[in-house]
Amino acid sequence: YGFGGVIGVLLATLNIWRKITPSRMLISWFLVITFFAALGIYKNLSGDTRLYYAFSLRSLSELNEMLIALSALLFTWLNMRKHQFAGRVKSAATIAGVQHH
């Protein structure tokens, strides 16, 4: 999820993806999510079972799940605001008689 979000933010530079890409404001969220996920993957692959280490990473995975949910909510809210603002600008231009070609 985090890596996909980073890729999505980078794709925002291409005009064809602009309507569905996440806001650049979310890049820090996606990087933190990716980092926590990488720590979890490292723990699983390394087989390190020391209790304090395993417990702290388990807690981080719960935090990471919460960050994923919050960033998904922010992504939805920011895109909704972006499209509502674009719709208002478009309707105001139509009322004023401005047309884009």
Side-chain angles (χ1 to χ4, degrees):
Y1 179 86
F3 188 68
V6 170
I7 297 297
V9 170
L10 295 176
L11 284 176
T13 58
L14 303 173
N15 283 338
I16 61 172
W17 298 105
R18 190 161 300 232
K19 288 186 177 183
I20 61 170
T21 57
S23 169
R24 287 183 296 172
M25 185 179 85
L26 294 173
I27 189 80
S28 60
W29 287 70
F30 294 136
L31 290 173
V32 169
I33 290 167
T34 302
F35 177 73
F36 285 165
L39 282 177
I41 291 170
Y42 170 75
K43 179 205 167 272
N44 290 339
L45 293 178
S46 69
D48 193 355
T49 58
R50 289 179 285 174
L51 184 60
Y52 71 92
Y53 183 70
F55 176 75
S56 64
L57 282 180
R58 191 171 342 123
S59 299
L60 281 180
S61 72
E62 295 295 326
L63 175 63
N64 204 23
E65 290 171 9
M66 184 181 71
L67 288 174
I68 289 170
L70 289 173
S71 67
L73 179 66
L74 280 172
F75 167 75
T76 304
W77 181 67
L78 288 170
N79 271 4
M80 186 176 66
R81 284 187 59 200
K82 177 174 63 173
H83 293 298
Q84 284 177 347
F85 179 73
R88 278 186 262 155
V89 170
K90 190 174 187 179
S91 63
T94 305
I95 292 170
V98 177
Q99 295 179 356
H100 296 285
H101 296 281

